[in-house]
């Protein structure tokens, strides 16, 4: 495989889409004492990511002309640029959702050529890099902890983001002008793929809303320790959808869910200097190359199960095991598994790349910084509590269930 300008375009465009999908994430629900309802910042973010998934699916289905796809991709970049130029506003997450959906859908559809496997892999690598590195990048760009970002005013204009968006637009223009994507190889679009691409993110949004209602009705601790039940519902829905899809198309959907269950939406700790970001970035690229050369999705999902299991070590000194698994194994395993499961149908690929930002509540959402930051000194036990065992066990079981289903689908005839 020769590294071409189209691969650079998809890497950079996917990275922009991944950042846009996760840039407004607060990390969990935020509760303000004295209010009668929980803050809906997380719900709004989940709705924005769900909107992105649906827009991306519709673009892959309704638009086929390369000029139209290029126009929508540039429109997505322009919309993101406008949002970064006017600062924070009430509907920013929805604007970002539409913009990310237009960009992601256009790029996924541009991958529909004879080189679809490598092109989709380059795009998925960029999106995962954006999702995994969004938190660390945000941390390094601000002196305030990320958990307080929802309460602090942001800058009106973001020059760095605008520069990245401009670069992505230039590279996309060069790739399209040179014809480096190759000749179109349109195939039939499955109605099942369209239904799954739209319904699964919507199911995740409904579960997000439902668990927010539970938090208010039964309290934060009870809702937090009962969220795994909704996580099981979500995993069951995804497995059923993957089995319903034709052939091996649904494997990438299972991979996205396993990535979520392993806690892949963000890093558990952030670096103190920019060079440290080169470590996960290099692992992401290595995982993509290995997954394309030696595709074994089940092996990748097994590695994600190890990452999920390491979460049981939540107290020092053993918490370094989880930190190491998150920083070293997760980026490698995630991109390896995604690359191994591609190529897939356009609508399913678009939805699967947006799903890590849209379906995060039932298994891995956190509930407010006060739940994890004691206001007074207290002794932390060195061993996991019962909730840690339950939460980790459910996450590992979800990853394993996705792996077993992927192994079954892998035996299907294409």
């Amino acid at each position: 495989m020769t590294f071409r300008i189209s691969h650079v375009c998809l890497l950079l465009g996917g990275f922009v889409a991944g950042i846009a999908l996760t840039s407004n994430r607060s990390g969990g629900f935020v509760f303000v004492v004295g209010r009668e309802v929980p803050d809906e910042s997380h719900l709004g973010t989940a709705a924005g990511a769900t909107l992105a998934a649906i827009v991306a699916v519709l673009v892959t289905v309704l638009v086929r002309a390369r000029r139209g796809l290029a126009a929508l991709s540039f429109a997505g970049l322009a919309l993101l640029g406008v949002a970064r130029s006017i600062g924070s506003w009430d509907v920013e997450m929805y604007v970002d959702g539409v913009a990310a959906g237009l960009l992601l859908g256009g790029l996924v559809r541009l991958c529909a050529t004879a080189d679809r496997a490598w092109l989709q892999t380059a795009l998925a690598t960029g999106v995962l890099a954006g999702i995994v590195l969004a938190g660390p990048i945000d941390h390094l760009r601000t002196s305030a902890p990320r958990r307080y970002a929802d309460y602090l005013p942001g800058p009106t204009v973001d020059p760095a983001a605008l520069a990245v968006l401009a670069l992505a637009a230039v590279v996309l223009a060069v790739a399209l002008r040179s014809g480096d994507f190759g000749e179109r190889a349109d195939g039939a679009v499955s109605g099942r793929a369209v239904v799954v691409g739209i319904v699964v993110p919507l199911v995740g949004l409904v579960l997000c809303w439902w668990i927010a209602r539970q938090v208010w009705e039964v309290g934060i601790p009870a809702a937090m320790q009962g969220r795994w039940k909704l996580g099981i519902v979500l995993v069951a829905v995804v497995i059923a959808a993957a089995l319903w899809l034709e052939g091996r198309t649904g494997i990438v959907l299972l991979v996205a869910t396993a990535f979520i269950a392993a806690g892949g939406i963000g890093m558990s700790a952030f670096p103190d200097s920019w060079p440290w970001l080169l470590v996960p970035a290099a692992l992401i690229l290595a995982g993509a190359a290995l997954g394309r050369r030696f595709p074994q999705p089940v092996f990748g999902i097994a590695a994600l199960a190890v990452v999920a299991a390491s979460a049981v070590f939540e107290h020092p000194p053993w918490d370094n095991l989880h930190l190491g698994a998150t920083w070293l194994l997760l980026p490698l395993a995630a991109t390896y598994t995604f690359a191994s499961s591609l190529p897939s149908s356009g609508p399913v690929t678009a939805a699967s790349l947006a799903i890590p930002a849209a379906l995060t509540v039932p298994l891995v959402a956190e509930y407010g910084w006060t739940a994890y930051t004691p206001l007074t000194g207290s002794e932390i036990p060195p061993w996991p509590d019962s909730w840690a065992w339950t939460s980790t066990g459910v996450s590992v079981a979800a990853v394993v269930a996705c792996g077993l289903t992927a192994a079954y689908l892998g035996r299907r005839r294409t």
Side-chain angles (χ1 to χ4, degrees):
M1 194 278 299
T2 303
F3 205 66
R4 308 196 308 266
I5 186 65
S6 58
H7 298 140
V8 177
C9 170
L10 291 168
L11 276 170
L12 185 56
F15 179 77
V16 169
I19 291 288
L21 287 168
T22 57
S23 60
N24 292 314
R25 296 189 57 84
S26 62
F29 291 105
V30 179
F31 295 94
V32 181
V33 176
R35 293 187 58 173
E36 296 182 355
V37 295
D39 185 356
E40 295 183 356
S41 62
H42 190 97
L43 289 176
T45 304
T50 301
L51 182 60
I54 294 174
V55 170
V57 169
L58 292 178
V59 169
T60 62
V61 174
L62 300 178
V63 183
R64 298 195 176 189
R66 185 157 290 180
R67 287 186 178 181
L69 295 172
L72 291 178
S73 299
F74 283 120
L77 291 171
L79 199 55
L80 287 173
V82 171
R84 298 304 177 273
S85 299
I86 60 179
S88 300
W89 43 322
D90 293 339
V91 295
E92 181 183 0
M93 63 280 295
Y94 304 109
V95 174
D96 280 355
V98 172
L102 291 174
L103 178 61
L104 185 60
L107 294 179
V108 168
R109 190 62 183 178
L110 287 172
C111 294
T113 67
D115 194 26
R116 184 173 60 137
W118 276 104
L119 292 176
Q120 285 191 355
T121 298
L123 177 59
T125 302
V127 173
L128 288 174
I131 290 174
V132 171
L133 299 179
I137 290 174
D138 210 24
H139 169 74
L140 290 171
R141 294 185 63 196
T142 177
S143 59
R146 182 68 184 92
R147 67 185 64 171
Y148 304 130
D150 295 303
Y151 305 99
L152 300 175
T156 304
V157 179
D158 191 342
L162 293 177
V164 173
L165 291 172
L167 178 61
V170 170
V171 175
L172 176 59
V174 172
L176 290 169
R177 180 72 175 176
S178 65
D180 194 58
F181 283 100
E183 296 295 328
R184 268 190 336 186
D186 290 337
V189 177
S190 166
R192 294 185 181 186
V194 178
V195 172
V196 167
I198 293 176
V199 170
V200 170
L202 287 176
V203 170
L205 182 61
V206 170
L207 292 179
C208 177
W209 171 82
W210 181 254
I211 203 169
R213 296 277 299 181
Q214 276 194 321
V215 168
W216 179 245
E217 291 175 0
V218 302
I220 296 175
M224 184 173 107
Q225 298 192 12
R227 71 176 191 240
W228 60 271
K229 299 175 183 177
L230 294 181
I232 290 178
V233 173
L234 176 61
V235 172
V237 169
V238 171
I239 289 177
L243 293 172
W244 187 53
L245 290 169
E246 298 87 348
R248 304 173 186 176
T249 306
I251 293 180
V252 69
L253 191 66
L254 296 168
V255 169
T257 307
F259 176 62
I260 298 168
I265 192 61
M267 296 293 190
S268 58
F270 299 136
D272 294 325
S273 61
W274 287 97
W276 278 107
L277 294 183
L278 296 177
V279 175
L283 291 171
I284 286 170
L285 293 175
L290 288 173
R292 193 72 269 134
R293 293 295 186 184
F294 311 102
Q296 294 291 339
V298 176
F299 290 167
I301 293 179
L304 291 175
V306 173
V307 176
S310 69
V312 74
F313 302 104
E314 59 179 357
H315 300 305
W318 302 107
D319 58 335
N320 287 328
L321 292 174
H322 179 54
L323 179 62
T326 302
W327 268 96
L328 300 178
L329 183 56
L330 177 62
L332 180 69
T335 49
Y336 172 84
T337 314
F338 266 91
S340 298
S341 63
L342 296 171
S344 186
S345 167
V348 176
T349 301
S352 298
L353 293 178
I355 272 176
L359 306 186
T360 57
V361 173
L363 285 173
V364 300
E366 297 175 356
Y367 293 84
W369 61 272
T370 53
Y372 291 93
T373 306
L375 300 180
T376 58
S378 59
E379 184 178 352
I380 300 176
W383 54 85
D385 57 19
S386 60
W387 165 239
W389 285 109
T390 301
S391 177
T392 303
V394 171
S395 297
V396 172
V399 177
V400 170
C402 291
L404 292 176
T405 309
Y408 169 77
L409 293 180
R411 297 190 180 95
R412 279 185 178 179
R413 294 181 180 181
T414 56

